Amino acid sequence: MEENLYTQGTKVFFDLGCLKGSGKICGVTDNGNPVIGHGYIIELSKPIESYPYTHIKVYNSQIKIDDTTA
């Protein structure tokens, strides 16, 4: 099983193909899947025009750490 890589508050970028953005990790949605990894809830840092919600679920393979503020 893949390790839970991100803790609450970690700033990240995500890319779902049709939706891209940034935000911070707010929680884990499951115990992980050997193929796609853990699911995470991300609070968006700014709204996405075509997406009407403030949070989105993504998986390990769709996330990169935002190290631009380091």
Side-chain angles (χ1 to χ4, degrees):
M1 192 65 60
E2 189 168 333
E3 181 182 341
N4 181 355
L5 301 175
Y6 307 103
T7 58
Q8 185 168 340
T10 302
K11 292 182 179 183
V12 296
F13 293 110
F14 64 90
D15 184 347
L16 305 177
C18 59
L19 289 176
K20 298 177 184 182
S22 63
K24 66 179 179 179
I25 302 290
C26 290
V28 178
T29 63
D30 53 44
N31 291 327
N33 177 297
V35 176
I36 59 176
H38 287 277
Y40 295 92
I41 299 295
I42 296 178
E43 179 181 13
L44 301 176
S45 58
K46 62 182 182 179
I48 298 173
E49 186 175 321
S50 61
Y51 186 76
Y53 305 102
T54 59
H55 294 70
I56 193 166
K57 179 180 178 178
V58 299
Y59 292 94
N60 282 3
S61 61
Q62 300 163 319
I63 297 174
K64 292 182 184 177
I65 291 184
D66 177 357
D67 57 3
T68 61
T69 58

